[in-house]
Amino acid sequence: MRWQSKIWVYCGYIMVCLLLTAIAELGNPYEILGVHRKATRSEIRKAYKQLAMEWHPDKKRVPSAEERFVSIKQAYELLSDPERRKLYDDKGITEHDFYNRPEHAPFHTNNPFDDIFSAHGAHFNFQENDITFFHKLSISTRQYDKLIVPKSEKTPHLIFFYTDWCFACLQSAPYCRRLVDKLEPLGVNFVTVHSGKEPVLARRLNIHTLPCIVLLLDGNVFVYKDTITSVQRIIEFLRNKMPYKLVPKIRNEDVDAFLNGWEDNRVRGLIFEPRQNMRLRYLVTAYHFRHRVAFGFVDSEEIRQKYQVPQDMDTVLLFNENISSPMASLSMKDIPTSTLHHIVSSNQYLALPRLSSQEVLEALCPCEWNKPRKRLCVVLVTKTSSNHDLHRQSFRIYAQNSPYSVEKVRFAYIYHDKQTEFVNSLIPGMIHLVNFCPIEATILFFTEGEFVEPLLRVVILWRRDTSHVKYEWISDKWEWENNLNQTTQKLDSTISRLLRSSEALTYEASVNDLFDEHAKGIFGRIATKVGTFMESVYDGLSKDQILPALSIIGTIVFILAVGYFMAYLVRLEEENIQQQKAKAKSGNNNNDSSNSSYQPELRLHELRGEKYNGLVRLLKPGCRTILLVLDMQSRQQLIPPFHKAVWPYRKNKTLMFSYMYIERGLSWYKELLQLSLPEERELNINPRNCVGTVLSLNGHRKYFCMFHAKHTERFSKKKRVKLTKPFEEKDCESGTFIGFDSDSSESEEEILLQENLLDGLPNWLDRLFEGTTQRYHINYWPDFPNK
């Protein structure tokens, strides 16, 4: 019982110390002064002067002014003292005198818990295990979603989950400090999450035990399962979770193929080290610039001798299209990450890069509103063909020899066939002439009085904002040997003229974002997502959860296998029954084998008074009747072509097909046409002119569509423009298009033979089911004569 009472006394002592710490806590001095953590002394002094003048009690007549002024003064005193500032940055201590009083020395030395934890081989130092270290780096769920996840695309993040009064978390503090000291200079960020305050985030990331470390790479979460007592194991875990073959090993036989792979629009980088394994700093740098630079780790003495790389130094070589010599090199004993990032970021684009995504366009051609600081982007329009390699090569040489700086003029090229929408939006006036051919379509545009093809021409861009571009085309085609001097001279004069602040580009257009040519296809994205999900699920499972998870997966697979086997047996049984029926049918029927295959018949119903309700009035919603109007003389000539035209639609259960003798239904047909007129008037109908008319009757919606050989819907738009005025004035709804008007003269119309009346019916049926035919609505269906 003695040691239990001793523990209670020490716990009370800790509570008192924490209470005194909370009372003496100043707050975050950086937030009080409104400066960032890396602010210089001059910035801190400037912020202090402004806030002191603003919150001085003699000027600010508010009750909290004095308290605010005192906190500003204390924050400035803390940050202006280098030792106190370092102490706050490392341990979060704001009251330096409180922690250095002699009477509080037992708080740091002669720790009463030493005899408890010494038996386990751990010295519990309160200064190293201070919980404020985790509080300083703590983030919320909103910060995780808005800041950490987007940043993880380029920067790996280690996230440490903890809670208050967690002794295992406090014991992990010194290891986390060493982890931060080792990884943050290499470009790996370390943040913490208080799982008690952010339980939703802990559940989302599948955190089961505390403390716990997870790795965040490009939005993907990987849980570290081992104990947090070895920094080296955590670093190896980080190495293993990096993208597959992020930095491959380059041997002598692979170096040429690797350096010549710049056609993916990425710079090539070679890493040389005097050791066998690559350092983590280069792996993190390769991850940061993986979209713009492809790195390789050299494992060959021949390559080292070829580029004269020192044996005892780390060396990084960057290559553009010229693989014979590097465009940038860096050799040091230990290359700092900041220096390495600066060199790579300054040389992350080829001599002639390709506008392959919106990110590349934003980097090469940034938006600039100020005319004096106008930045032009000179782009050659090509296509993905080896026939244009020589044109791109000559344009690359011109760009390398250009006297303009990259801050003023940037040269690039673009694939017309991959960025068609972007290039076509730069066509002045959008006057397109398309030459359709089986192989490809050539798009021309009109400028300066002549037709110009955008392919192999140069366009000069100035981006005003993200969606508006001002541009100007060079009319001459870019040739790699013919008239090249004339084209380059015209391009030089145009660039020099447009760089003046008084000059403006000729055209302006609204453009959409570029298509990302490097994005994975849908199947690649699905495979990546599935692989990442399976790996994250495996990492999130503990050892006790793996066996139940495998048991569930095995049960599901077994059920699916049994179901598939049962379905297979049922299908075999159905096939056997069908075969037996076929044999029995073939034995009873001695007809030709072609008759055994069933073909649905097409029945044509005659429209009479007794069938009128079933064919028209009582049709179900969505059903229609296709009606052919004929007479006794034309029956033999019109029924076969009508049957042939509607034969492809015989399986449609929403359609019924019929015919009507005009002699029997003339009164019904005349009343139907009168109901469709906008105003009531008498029609003089010639029954012979009605022959060959096809009606589509929708009984439920009460409308019909009409086909006739002389219906104006048959004429194309081009023919409509050339119609004479008397024909345009004819009322389509009155029936004049088929000669219903007794005053109309048939000599003006085209004379059609009776066997040609249904030639255009198949095309009309296509338009009917597309919904593009004219509809004539009526209020009710007229009665059909019984006789």
Side-chain angles (χ1 to χ4, degrees), residues 43-86:
E43 293 176 346
I44 294 173
R45 188 183 304 109
K46 183 178 179 180
Y48 166 69
K49 288 182 178 180
Q50 292 178 352
L51 292 174
M53 292 178 61
E54 180 182 356
W55 290 94
H56 197 278
D58 295 338
K59 295 184 177 181
K60 199 81 169 179
R61 300 295 183 179
V62 292
S64 60
E66 184 175 356
E67 182 181 353
R68 175 71 170 167
F69 181 77
V70 172
S71 62
I72 292 171
K73 185 174 182 300
Q74 291 178 351
Y76 173 69
E77 290 175 352
L78 189 151
L79 296 181
S80 60
D81 188 345
E83 295 182 1
R84 293 185 61 188
R85 183 179 180 181
K86 185 176 185 304

Side-chain angles (χ1 to χ4, degrees), residues 456-502:
L456 291 180
R457 277 184 164 77
V458 179
V459 60
I460 302 176
L461 307 176
W462 175 39
R463 300 182 68 228
R464 295 178 55 187
D465 54 40
T466 55
S467 59
H468 291 85
V469 174
K470 300 199 73 173
Y471 63 95
E472 186 167 321
W473 288 86
I474 305 299
S475 59
D476 291 345
K477 213 169 187 179
W478 185 270
E479 299 289 348
W480 65 275
E481 57 179 357
N482 299 327
N483 301 324
L484 183 59
N485 293 331
Q486 181 180 354
T487 306
T488 55
Q489 290 175 4
K490 181 174 290 188
L491 181 58
D492 286 336
S493 62
T494 305
I495 294 174
S496 301
R497 175 176 58 85
L498 295 178
L499 283 175
R500 303 190 199 118
S501 58
S502 59

Side-chain angles (χ1 to χ4, degrees), residues 135-161:
H135 290 331
K136 286 193 307 178
L137 303 177
S138 183
I139 61 171
S140 62
T141 304
R142 180 179 178 84
Q143 290 173 326
Y144 172 83
D145 293 329
K146 301 296 183 181
L147 299 177
I148 303 301
V149 173
K151 288 182 179 179
S152 67
E153 183 183 1
K154 294 184 177 181
T155 304
H157 282 72
L158 287 174
I159 306 176
F160 180 83
F161 284 82

Side-chain angles (χ1 to χ4, degrees), residues 364-620:
L364 297 179
C365 309
C367 302
E368 183 60 70
W369 269 97
N370 196 354
K371 283 188 177 181
R373 294 186 300 177
K374 190 190 310 181
R375 188 169 182 177
L376 302 178
C377 197
V378 183
V379 183
L380 174 65
V381 181
T382 63
K383 65 179 181 180
T384 54
S385 173
S386 58
N387 297 331
H388 290 179
D389 288 344
L390 295 176
H391 299 84
R392 287 189 285 264
Q393 179 63 23
S394 63
F395 193 69
R396 184 179 295 110
I397 295 173
Y398 171 79
Q400 291 175 331
N401 299 328
S402 174
Y404 309 105
S405 64
V406 293
E407 299 299 327
K408 286 289 186 180
V409 180
R410 199 65 189 251
F411 295 88
Y413 70 97
I414 192 171
Y415 284 152
H416 186 198
D417 48 348
K418 291 190 176 181
Q419 306 292 345
T420 306
E421 183 179 0
F422 181 83
V423 176
N424 289 350
S425 62
L426 302 179
I427 296 178
M430 296 300 292
I431 304 177
H432 300 260
L433 293 179
V434 183
N435 179 23
F436 293 100
C437 62
I439 302 176
E440 62 179 349
T442 304
I443 300 179
L444 308 176
F445 65 87
F446 186 78
T447 178
E448 298 182 2
E450 61 177 351
F451 289 104
V452 181
E453 181 186 359
L455 204 60
L456 291 180
R457 277 184 164 77
V458 179
V459 60
I460 302 176
L461 307 176
W462 175 39
R463 300 182 68 228
R464 295 178 55 187
D465 54 40
T466 55
S467 59
H468 291 85
V469 174
K470 300 199 73 173
Y471 63 95
E472 186 167 321
W473 288 86
I474 305 299
S475 59
D476 291 345
K477 213 169 187 179
W478 185 270
E479 299 289 348
W480 65 275
E481 57 179 357
N482 299 327
N483 301 324
L484 183 59
N485 293 331
Q486 181 180 354
T487 306
T488 55
Q489 290 175 4
K490 181 174 290 188
L491 181 58
D492 286 336
S493 62
T494 305
I495 294 174
S496 301
R497 175 176 58 85
L498 295 178
L499 283 175
R500 303 190 199 118
S501 58
S502 59
E503 293 291 334
L505 285 84
T506 307
Y507 304 103
E508 183 176 359
S510 297
V511 295
N512 296 327
D513 291 348
L514 288 177
F515 167 72
D516 190 0
E517 300 176 12
H518 309 289
K520 294 182 179 179
I522 182 171
F523 295 107
R525 292 198 300 269
I526 291 175
T528 303
K529 288 291 184 183
V530 170
T532 304
F533 174 75
M534 296 298 294
E535 188 174 2
S536 61
V537 168
Y538 174 77
D539 290 337
L541 295 176
S542 61
K543 294 181 179 179
D544 298 334
Q545 296 172 329
I546 292 178
L547 187 59
L550 292 177
S551 176
I552 294 174
I553 295 174
T555 303
I556 294 174
V557 172
F558 176 75
I559 293 174
L560 293 176
V562 171
Y564 176 79
F565 180 71
M566 296 297 294
Y568 176 72
L569 294 179
V570 171
R571 187 167 63 251
L572 288 179
E573 185 69 19
E574 291 178 351
E575 291 177 356
N576 291 333
I577 294 175
Q578 290 178 358
Q579 289 178 0
Q580 292 176 2
K581 289 183 178 180
K583 290 180 180 179
K585 187 175 181 180
S586 62
N588 297 329
N589 189 7
N590 297 325
N591 294 333
D592 195 273
S593 60
S594 61
N595 295 332
S596 62
S597 59
Y598 170 72
Q599 290 289 342
E601 62 179 359
L602 176 62
R603 299 185 61 183
L604 295 180
H605 305 275
E606 181 183 354
L607 184 61
R608 296 182 178 182
E610 60 271 18
K611 296 183 179 181
Y612 180 64
N613 288 336
L615 291 175
V616 180
R617 280 182 172 174
L618 301 181
L619 282 178
K620 295 181 180 179

Side-chain angles (χ1 to χ4, degrees), residues 196-213:
K197 297 180 180 178
E198 305 293 339
V200 177
L201 182 59
R203 287 195 296 268
R204 279 174 52 188
L205 302 189
N206 202 16
I207 305 302
H208 300 291
T209 59
L210 294 176
C212 182
I213 285 182

Side-chain angles (χ1 to χ4, degrees), residues 15-32:
M15 292 293 295
V16 173
C17 293
L18 293 176
L19 180 61
L20 293 175
T21 304
I23 295 174
E25 187 69 28
L26 168 65
N28 191 335
Y30 295 102
E31 295 181 357
I32 294 174

Side-chain angles (χ1 to χ4, degrees), residues 23 105 180 240 307 312 361 371 493 520 592 609 686 728 737:
I23 295 174
V180 171
N240 295 332
Y307 295 107
D312 57 343
L361 180 65
K371 283 188 177 181
S493 62
K520 294 182 179 179
D592 195 273
N686 184 356
E728 290 178 351
F737 57 87

